[in-house]
Amino acid sequence: MPKDWDIIVAGGHCFSFAMTHLHGRPAGKYHIPIDFGAIAAIGGAAARNDGKVMLIDGDGSLYQHIQELETVRRHGIKLLICIINDGGYGAETHKFRAHGVDPMYATHGRGDVAQVARGFGLNGTKVTSLGQFERLFHEHQAQNRASLWDVHVDDLIPSRNFRRVHYGEA
């Protein structure tokens, strides 16, 4: 993302991935509300009104505020939504695994989040390879509406931070 964009990062396992890649970004350009990331992103995008706001959130979190996709569409807010989709509540599944507990109760599977976004009238794309980002970013820039990227990640690979904190790696 260009350095003049505001990046809103929600809590959960997606937080650890996102924070690893914000190095070099001005501190005033990323925001970590932990809770209610979608509301912060919508407010930030509405206030900026220039389409340069990105929300990074998890699939489990999105399911808890999915109705806000309708809010974004209804108000014509141009927002880039990047959903880190590991098919469950990643923070919990990795903690469970680290302690030898079956994560089945924190796993919900991978619904078609991109299709859901399209159902709400937004652009929605499933992302399964790194090579898609540049094209998708240019497509988002050319549109005058919100886009949601359903970024599939491996649910068995914890972030560096989770490996350090929950598995004792240095």
Side-chain angles (χ1 to χ4, degrees), residues 10-153:
H13 193 232
C14 69
F15 169 85
S16 294
F17 284 116
M19 294 310 293
T20 303
H21 299 286
L22 293 177
H23 177 75
R25 180 170 296 280
K29 289 295 180 188
Y30 58 92
H31 316 277
I32 296 76
I34 301 298
D35 297 320
F36 308 108
I39 302 302
I42 292 168
R48 278 194 70 153
N49 198 29
D50 64 1
K52 294 182 178 182
V53 176
M54 177 182 193
L55 168 65
I56 301 173
D57 207 348
D59 54 319
S61 177
L62 175 70
Y63 289 144
Q64 295 181 35
H65 61 74
I66 199 127
Q67 72 279 0
E68 299 309 335
L69 297 179
E70 189 279 333
T71 302
V72 169
R73 187 212 37 86
R74 180 170 22 97
H75 289 282
I77 296 170
K78 185 172 180 178
L79 173 65
L80 179 53
I81 304 164
C82 180
I83 300 300
I84 308 300
N85 187 344
D86 61 6
Y89 297 102
E92 287 71 25
T93 60
H94 293 298
K95 290 172 194 170
F96 287 162
R97 285 187 185 115
H99 297 285
V101 177
D102 185 347
M104 67 181 251
Y105 294 110
T107 303
H108 49 69
R110 293 179 204 265
D112 192 342
V113 177
Q115 180 62 39
V116 171
R118 290 191 296 273
F120 276 104
L122 309 181
N123 297 320
T125 304
K126 184 187 300 185
V127 180
T128 57
S129 69
L130 293 174
Q132 294 179 263
F133 288 113
E134 186 173 350
R135 175 185 55 81
L136 290 173
F137 183 73
H138 290 298
E139 287 175 7
H140 172 72
Q141 291 290 79
Q143 302 281 331
N144 197 23
R145 62 180 176 164
S147 299
L148 183 143
W149 297 347
D150 179 13
V151 181
H152 286 219
V153 298

